[in-house]
Amino acid sequence: MVTEIRNGETLKPKWDVALEALLTEEFAERGVEMTVADFQRLAREYNIRFDDIVDTLFRMCIEGVWGYRNGDGQKQRISQDDYDRLFTGGRASEKDMIEYDGVWFPVKLSP
């Protein structure tokens, strides 16, 4: 669930649900786990800031909606600390993602 409800009041979604839909649809259409290069391509293709995609991706991973496998093929948990470190300067850049050389996938649709 991407929204929080407290005292009967719906709060702001935890990430950009439109970007979630785009990433999930892209995954479903291609049928393969996604790489940073895929997110870069989507950013260019749809004129979306790359760091907005990364922000949504990391937030979904923190909540367990998406997952990440590192370059060695091992599942690696993405934590709030990872997010905080990536966004220390305010925005994440493509060079900040170099260490994430693995693949990303929605947990419920994962092969």
Side-chain angles (χ1 to χ4, degrees):
M1 179 63 62
V2 297
T3 56
E4 252 182 272
I5 299 177
R6 278 194 214 140
N7 301 326
E9 182 180 332
T10 303
L11 304 176
K12 180 180 174 190
K14 294 182 179 182
W15 54 79
D16 186 316
V17 294
L19 290 179
E20 174 188 19
L22 174 66
L23 298 179
T24 303
E25 181 179 308
E26 182 76 8
F27 174 87
E29 285 179 7
R30 295 184 51 209
V32 295
E33 297 168 325
M34 300 173 73
T35 66
V36 169
D38 293 317
F39 304 127
Q40 292 167 330
R41 176 184 51 78
L42 288 171
R44 286 188 306 274
E45 185 177 327
Y46 291 98
N47 199 27
I48 300 167
R49 286 193 331 231
F50 177 72
D51 73 307
D52 286 343
I53 291 174
V54 172
D55 175 82
T56 291
L57 182 64
F58 269 63
R59 290 178 187 276
M60 290 189 303
C61 286
I62 291 166
E63 294 295 324
V65 176
W66 272 62
Y68 174 71
R69 263 189 264 286
N70 64 26
D72 295 329
Q74 301 297 312
K75 284 189 179 179
Q76 179 178 323
R77 184 178 172 277
I78 301 295
S79 69
Q80 184 66 47
D81 287 340
D82 296 323
Y83 177 92
D84 293 343
R85 187 174 59 253
L86 191 64
F87 286 90
T88 298
R91 294 202 183 277
S93 71
E94 294 182 14
K95 69 177 184 158
D96 295 329
M97 292 294 290
I98 289 173
E99 71 181 87
Y100 296 98
D101 61 348
V103 294
W104 306 82
F105 53 92
V107 172
K108 290 184 180 180
L109 300 177
S110 178

